């Protein structure tokens, strides 16, 4: 296990003690703390003021029940969460996830990551995350609406465009954001469009928001390639997942000259040596919410593999865009043996700690999610800007702003890595750059 500076060991031990059983949160905290040894050595003010201890404790944790009725009239019960982690840089900002795996530890891990991702973006937004163990899969439109309305009936009192601005995440797309915003508007009697992002284009949404995380990840990798004197031209790419992030990462990689040969869902993965047919994939996933197995049925050049690991497919660039801890140490060995050059996280913490170590030790350039997938929240912040000014920007203008932000994140990451004598280390650079900005703001705001 990597070295943890002795000044930070008590901080991590306290996190374990105060948050028992929340393994994903423990993992996220340790991953950041492992990078901060040189920072606390150079700047003791952070430990003197207990900034790191305070960063690891959310400002507010909200847990509530969500009762609703299904189409048969039966009462259903779920649990809702919102962890408002840190607001030193601006209003809380982070998505809502509706998935059966959601519990407090998942929400805290996501919220903790969000602090540093939002800080690294350079935009004035704090970190938060929320969600529910509700599963929208297989539910009717009416059931999803009733759940969203019940969820917002409690959550609304904690939100506001200057307080906390949620967005979507797994299981929460434009449909769910619409139902949530409708209920917020109904309860508050205010058309406060900046209170939720990921809205429909006809009622306050931003161009490029749907594409932003996938596009942003590819923009970041493009900067990594350019820094090494390379490009996407002719590169073979594997993308895990087949939701919005994966689909638009595939789209932008194709536009930049790469060939994406594989994508996946929770049941298995599909390999298409001719290159993924994006129109077909969009029709299957967005048109009738199908599975990637259906893709292979409609494409003669494709083969479907049930189960297994998509990371067995040889590639130059690997983009994990599905869910946390999906790329394991065994997968990393396979990527290294197959000559993979770059792994960039399009999802939140999709690579296990042992996999990250293996990749970095083997010289594979590894970009953590707080840098590589910052495009989603960055475009949410652009949506907030448009809502605040009652404005609407073109697709081209918004995409150009996104590309500019991702270039800045890449530059800030490498510049910070150089400053702390770990040149080319994207993990340390992202963690330290994200930390120092929010930590300095906390010092300026006093003990709150």
């Amino acid at each position: 296990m990597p070295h943890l500076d002795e000044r930070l060991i008590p901080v991590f031990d306290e996190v374990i003690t105060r948050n028992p059983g929340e393994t994903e949160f423990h993992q996220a905290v340790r991953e950041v703390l492992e990078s901060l040894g040189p920072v606390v050595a150079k700047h003791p003010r952070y430990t003197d003021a207990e900034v790191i201890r305070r960063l690891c404790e959310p400002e507010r944790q909200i847990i509530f029940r969500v009762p609703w009725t299904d189409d048969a009239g039966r009462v259903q019960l779920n649990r809702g969460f919102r962890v408002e982690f840190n607001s030193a840089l601006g209003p809380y900002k982070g998505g809502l996830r509706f998935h059966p795996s959601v519990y407090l530890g998942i929400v805290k891990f996501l919220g903790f990551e969000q602090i540093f991702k939002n800080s690294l973006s350079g935009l004035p937004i704090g970190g938060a995350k929320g969600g529910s163990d509700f599963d929208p899969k297989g539910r009717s439109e009416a059931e999803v609406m009733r759940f969203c309305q019940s969820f917002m009936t409690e959550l609304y009192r904690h939100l506001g465009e200057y307080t906390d601005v949620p967005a979507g995440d797994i299981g929460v797309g434009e449909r769910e954001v619409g139902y949530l915003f409708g209920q917020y508007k109904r309860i508050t009697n205010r058309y406060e469009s900046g209170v939720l992002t990921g809205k429909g284009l006809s009622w306050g949404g931003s161009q490029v928001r749907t594409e932003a995380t996938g596009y942003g990840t590819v923009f970041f990798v493009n900067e990594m390639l350019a820094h090494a004197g390379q490009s996407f031209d002719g590169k073979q790419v594997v993308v895990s997942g087949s939701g919005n992030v994966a689909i638009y990462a595939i789209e932008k990689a194709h536009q930049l000259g790469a060939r994406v040969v594989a994508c996946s869902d929770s049941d298995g993965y599909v390999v298409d040596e001719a290159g993924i047919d994006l129109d077909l994939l969009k029709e299957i996933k967005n048109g009738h919410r199908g599975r990637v197995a259906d893709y292979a049925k409609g494409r003669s050049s494709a083969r479907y593999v049930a189960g297994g690991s998509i990371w067995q497919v040889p590639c130059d660039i690997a983009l994990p865009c599905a869910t946390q801890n999906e790329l394991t140490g065994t997968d990393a060995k396979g990527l290294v043996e197959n000559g993979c050059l770059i792994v960039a996280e399009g999802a939140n913490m999709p690579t296990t700690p042992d996999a990250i170590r293996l990749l970095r030790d083997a010289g594979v350039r590894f970009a953590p999610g707080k840098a590589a997938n910052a495009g989603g929240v960055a475009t949410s912040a652009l949506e907030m800007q448009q809502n605040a000014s009652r404005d609407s920007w073109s697709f081209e203008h918004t995409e150009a702003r996104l590309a500019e932000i991702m270039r800045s994140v890449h530059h800030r990451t490498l510049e910070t890595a150089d400053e702390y004598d770990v040149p080319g280390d994207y993990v340390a650079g992202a963690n330290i750059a994200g930390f120092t900005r929010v930590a300095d703001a906390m010092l300026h705001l006093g003990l709150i």
Side-chain angles (χ1 to χ4, degrees), residues 218-233:
V218 174
F219 284 144
F220 191 90
V221 174
N222 199 44
E223 294 299 313
M224 296 174 75
L225 288 164
H227 184 73
Q230 298 176 295
S231 74
F232 266 107
D233 272 344

Side-chain angles (χ1 to χ4, degrees), residues 102-249:
V102 170
Y103 78 108
L104 188 59
I106 290 273
V107 178
K108 279 160 76 172
F109 126 62
L110 292 166
F112 186 75
E113 284 278 292
Q114 201 76 47
I115 299 170
F116 305 98
K117 183 188 302 186
N118 293 1
S119 171
L120 194 56
S121 76
L123 298 165
I125 42 178
K129 207 75 179 186
S132 174
D133 55 3
F134 170 74
D135 188 357
K137 191 185 297 180
R139 291 294 181 182
S140 70
E141 292 279 337
E143 287 175 324
V144 171
M145 182 183 71
R146 287 194 293 272
F147 172 81
C148 289
Q149 290 176 339
S150 181
F151 183 86
M152 184 54 81
T153 298
E154 172 57 33
L155 189 62
Y156 88 93
R157 69 193 76 242
H158 305 287
L159 306 183
E161 58 185 337
Y162 300 110
T163 306
D164 186 352
V165 182
D169 193 80
I170 293 172
V172 179
E174 184 180 314
R175 173 184 66 173
E176 288 76 16
V177 169
Y179 294 146
L180 292 165
F181 180 70
Q183 187 72 352
Y184 180 88
K185 185 174 76 72
R186 181 186 190 189
I187 293 170
T188 62
N189 193 32
R190 293 194 303 270
Y191 204 106
E192 196 178 325
S193 56
V195 77
L196 278 163
T197 58
K199 301 183 293 296
L201 289 177
S202 62
W203 45 281
S206 171
Q207 300 273 8
V208 193
R209 181 60 193 91
T210 303
E211 297 87 350
T213 308
Y215 276 21
T217 300
V218 174
F219 284 144
F220 191 90
V221 174
N222 199 44
E223 294 299 313
M224 296 174 75
L225 288 164
H227 184 73
Q230 298 176 295
S231 74
F232 266 107
D233 272 344
K235 295 289 191 296
Q236 184 153 301
V237 180
V238 166
V239 178
S240 69
S242 52
N244 267 355
V245 180
I247 283 173
Y248 291 106

